[in-house]
């Protein structure tokens, strides 16, 4: 089926090549890291700047509240950020695992279930 | 340190452990001179003991350790199980073995805290056990029924060397959609029913149903509230949490439909697994957390 055939008009990308979407996802993750680092540094360098305020109010404060007082809840900003990053990490990790030639067995997912145990907090 | 054990950092924390275990298992398997997977088991025992170092002090802040204390015997049982599982994991890859052993060991360490909390509640009494039984067993019964419905179709595809939803290697999705071979016909015909019996898809469906039922019981019967933005909006729309539970059951059906109709190229085989993993993370993990919190009255 993979030999010459009039029905096969395209060749799949090689496993060690990244598609456009995978490269865009990697760029998104790197941008998020840079922006987050910038927000943390900006708290001291330029107090009150919009990015630092956004990160402090929507991400860091809820984390602190969850850890100290319990159940801060989520807000639309951090929900959107975490959702985008989740999708981006899925794309990048799948590309990385493919490139490393890690076997893709369903049993590997079953093996991960004990590691996904919930925290009781 | 407390931030590492609450959402969302708990997910990154656990992911870091998973990456560490996977990487260490891979390296140990490549470089060790010991026979078979003995080095992986040794590494797993060391990592479980490391988890004890991180977690047990947190428990000892609230409970004392004694001969009958779960804080003592639960990690010991976990370590014994990690070692006892060694002969049964030869069929797994090195990474799978490491993940299973460290994961199970970690579960028993966590169990120490949960059992301590149940037997010696910090504040207030614990809830009865019937919600946990209902939340975990009803979706399990549904998934077992689905498995029976789909197993013959799955067996037929496996006999042909095919995986439901996965296009054979070397063919793009566009080329696959254009052809009409017997392989194409069999895969397209059998995949929807076969997908009902694929364990990883069933686990993803199970997770969504568990989350829905746990939220419904927690909000409507035990006075908890939902912390996620979209989930809270659904509850407000329907006026009660049963609407959220219904949505989650529908979502479980949607998970099946998604995998029954989607076709993954061979190069996207890891993407398929990670998508299922995401569905597990946003379903089973919060659901189990919710039912544990409800049972332990935290």
């Amino acid at each position: 089926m993979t030999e010459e055939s009039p029905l096969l008009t395209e060749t799949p990308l090689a496993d060690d090549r990244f598609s456009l979407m995978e490269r865009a996802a990697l760029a998104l993750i790197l941008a998020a890291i840079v922006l987050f680092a910038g927000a943390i540094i900006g708290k001291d360098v330029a107090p009150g700047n919009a990015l630092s305020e956004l990160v402090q109010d929507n991400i860091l404060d809820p984390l602190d509240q969850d850890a100290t007082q319990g159940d801060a809840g989520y807000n639309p900003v951090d929900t959107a950020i975490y959702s985008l990053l989740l999708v981006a990490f899925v794309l990048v990790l799948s590309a990385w695992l493919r490139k490393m030639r890690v076997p893709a067995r369903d049993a590997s997912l079953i093996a991960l279930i004990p590691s996904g145990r919930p925290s009781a907090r | 340190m407390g931030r590492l054990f609450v959402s969302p950092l708990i997910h990154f924390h656990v992911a870091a452990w998973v990456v560490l275990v996977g990487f260490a298992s891979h390296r140990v398997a490549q470089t060790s001179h010991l026979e078979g997977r003995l080095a992986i088991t040794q590494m797993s025992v060391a990592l479980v003991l490391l988890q004890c170092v991180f977690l047990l002090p947190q428990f000892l802040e609230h409970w004392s350790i004694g001969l009958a204390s779960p804080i003592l015997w639960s990690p010991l049982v976990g370590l014994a199980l990690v070692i006892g599982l060694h002969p049964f994991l030869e069929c797994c890859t090195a990474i799978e073995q490491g993940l299973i052993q460290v994961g199970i060991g970690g579960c028993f360490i966590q169990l120490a805290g949960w059992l301590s909390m149940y037997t010696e509640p910090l504040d207030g009494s614990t809830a009865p056990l019937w919600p946990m039984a209902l939340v975990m067993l009803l979706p399990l019964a549904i998934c077992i029924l689905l498995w029976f419905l789909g197993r013959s179709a799955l067996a037929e595809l496996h006999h042909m060397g095919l995986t439901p939803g996965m296009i054979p290697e070397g063919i793009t999705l566009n080329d696959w959609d254009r052809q009409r071979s017997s392989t194409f016909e069999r895969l397209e015909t059998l995949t929807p029913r076969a997908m009902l019996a694929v364990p990883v898809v069933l686990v993803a469906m199970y997770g969504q149903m568990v989350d829905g039922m746990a939220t419904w019981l927690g909000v409507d019967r035990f006075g908890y509230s939902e912390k996620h933005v979209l989930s809270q909006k659904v509850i407000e729309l329907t006026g009660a949490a049963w609407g959220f539970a219904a949505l989650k059951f529908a979502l479980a059906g949607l998970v099946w439909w998604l995998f029954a109709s989607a076709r993954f190229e061979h190069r996207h085989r890891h993407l398929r697994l990670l998508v299922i993993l995401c569905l597990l993370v946003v379903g089973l993990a919060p659901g189990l957390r919710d039912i544990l919190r409800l049972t332990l009255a935290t």
Side-chain angles (χ1 to χ4, degrees):
Chain A
M1 207 164 227
T2 61
E3 299 301 326
E4 294 172 7
S5 162
L7 295 173
L8 299 181
T9 59
E10 298 173 352
T11 307
L13 271 180
D15 279 357
D16 58 351
R17 299 281 305 277
F18 288 177
S19 67
L20 180 62
M21 197 173 300
E22 288 161 354
R23 279 180 273 148
L26 181 61
L28 180 67
I29 292 169
L30 293 173
I33 293 171
V34 167
L35 285 172
F36 187 74
I40 300 299
I41 295 168
K43 267 171 45 175
D44 295 325
V45 169
N49 73 83
L51 180 64
S52 298
E53 295 286 307
L54 184 83
V55 169
Q56 185 67 44
D57 293 342
N58 293 288
I59 295 175
L60 297 179
D61 283 347
L63 278 178
D64 270 332
Q65 188 180 340
D66 248 340
T68 55
Q69 299 162 34
D71 290 330
Y74 289 92
N75 55 71
V77 173
D78 65 5
T79 298
I81 291 171
Y82 295 142
S83 302
L84 278 173
L85 284 177
L86 175 67
V87 173
F89 269 106
V90 163
L91 288 170
V92 169
L93 280 173
S94 69
W96 179 60
L97 291 170
R98 184 185 67 233
K99 184 170 174 161
M100 299 240 318
R101 304 201 186 280
V102 172
R105 291 163 23 117
D106 283 9
S108 300
L109 205 57
I110 304 295
L112 277 171
I113 289 175
S115 300
R117 65 194 176 278
S119 162
R121 291 180 60 165
Chain B
M1 189 77 163
R3 285 189 198 184
L4 290 176
F5 295 94
V6 294
S7 184
L9 285 187
I10 180 69
H11 301 299
F12 292 98
H13 176 191
V14 173
W17 276 104
V18 169
V19 170
L20 170 68
V21 170
F23 178 75
S25 301
H26 186 63
R27 290 289 298 164
V28 162
Q30 284 185 324
T31 58
S32 170
H33 301 295
L34 289 174
E35 187 185 335
R37 300 291 179 71
L38 194 55
I40 306 280
T41 299
Q42 285 182 341
M43 175 212 77
S44 299
V45 168
L47 286 175
V48 170
L49 288 172
L50 185 61
Q51 288 188 27
C52 287
V53 169
F54 274 112
L55 287 175
L56 292 187
Q58 307 269 327
F59 301 153
L60 290 172
E61 284 180 15
H62 303 289
W63 301 281
S64 56
I65 194 166
L67 279 178
S69 166
I71 298 177
L72 175 65
W73 57 259
S74 187
L76 287 176
V77 169
L79 280 169
L81 198 57
V82 167
I83 296 167
L85 278 174
H86 173 83
F88 302 99
L89 297 176
E90 293 285 337
C91 58
C92 300
T93 64
I95 293 176
E96 287 166 4
Q97 179 184 342
L99 286 172
I100 289 171
Q101 287 179 313
V102 176
I104 286 177
C107 282
F108 274 85
I109 295 171
Q110 284 275 0
L111 186 63
W114 299 333
L115 287 174
S116 298
M117 210 178 285
Y118 192 77
T119 54
E120 296 175 55
L122 292 177
D123 43 7
S125 60
T126 50
L129 289 176
W130 69 262
M132 179 180 276
L134 181 65
V135 165
M136 297 187 71
L137 294 180
L138 178 60
L140 180 64
I142 294 171
C143 287
I144 290 173
L145 177 66
L146 293 175
W147 179 79
F148 273 107
L149 288 174
R151 62 182 182 147
S152 60
L154 183 64
E156 197 172 334
L157 282 177
H158 280 334
H159 183 69
M160 296 171 65
L162 298 171
T163 304
M166 291 293 307
I167 296 171
E169 188 174 358
I171 308 175
T172 65
L173 186 57
N174 290 335
D175 281 340
W176 177 256
D177 285 339
R178 274 196 287 267
Q179 64 166 292
R180 290 294 178 266
S181 65
S182 60
T183 303
F184 173 88
E185 294 297 337
R186 293 313 286 160
L187 190 64
E188 294 298 319
T189 306
L190 290 172
T191 287
R193 199 158 53 93
M195 203 57 76
L196 290 172
V198 173
V200 290
V201 173
L202 281 176
V203 171
M205 293 171 68
Y206 176 76
Q208 297 300 319
M209 289 188 274
V210 163
D211 188 25
M213 289 199 63
T215 302
W216 166 52
L217 283 177
V219 171
D220 279 357
R221 290 294 299 262
F222 292 91
Y224 286 86
S225 60
E226 174 57 52
K227 65 189 275 184
H228 291 93
V229 172
L230 293 175
S231 310
Q232 185 55 34
K233 290 232 180 303
V234 170
I235 293 172
E236 284 168 10
L237 260 170
T238 54
W242 63 260
F244 179 76
L247 180 68
K248 277 291 192 168
F249 272 72
L251 203 57
L254 192 65
V255 167
W256 164 77
W257 177 82
L258 175 73
F259 284 94
S261 51
R263 298 291 172 263
F264 290 88
E265 291 182 11
H266 183 73
R267 78 179 250 111
H268 294 141
R269 57 200 181 280
H270 298 90
L271 179 66
R272 171 181 166 271
L273 289 182
L274 287 176
V275 168
I276 296 173
L277 184 61
C278 284
L279 291 168
L280 271 175
V281 166
V282 300
L284 187 61
L288 290 179
R289 178 203 60 207
D290 291 345
I291 199 62
L292 271 171
R293 289 193 64 176
L294 191 156
T295 305
L296 300 173
T298 59

